[in-house]
Amino acid sequence: YMPATAPLHFPAGLRGFVAQSACMVPWFVMVYMTVQLPYLICAILAVGLRVGNGDPEAWPDLFGNVADAYTLRNLWGYV
């Protein structure tokens, strides 16, 4: 990524904004999976092999439900 050449890749105006926003979605998914995947692998192994915290209740979801983030307090408190 080179910030000086970014305007050359997308058209100006609303169409360019929509295109840039659409290109950011895969990046956010990649970051989310980079954080989530190791946690899920550890949880699956611990529960499957009954090692350490082998109870499924000991491995809650790493991130909360996005629908609960309707206020800033809920975003930081629940999600």
Side-chain angles (χ1 to χ4, degrees):
Y1 173 73
M2 295 180 290
T5 62
L8 301 175
H9 298 294
F10 297 104
L14 180 63
R15 186 173 163 211
F17 176 75
V18 171
Q20 281 180 324
S21 299
C23 288
M24 288 180 65
V25 170
W27 185 81
F28 283 121
V29 169
M30 183 182 65
V31 169
Y32 173 79
M33 290 306 296
T34 301
V35 174
Q36 183 77 9
L37 197 59
Y39 179 80
L40 286 175
I41 291 171
C42 289
I44 289 169
L45 290 174
V47 172
L49 299 175
R50 298 282 182 195
V51 177
N53 283 338
D55 297 326
E57 294 83 20
W59 295 89
D61 289 336
L62 187 59
F63 300 111
N65 188 1
V66 178
D68 291 338
Y70 54 89
T71 65
L72 190 59
R73 177 179 284 183
N74 286 349
L75 174 70
W76 291 114
Y78 300 122
V79 180

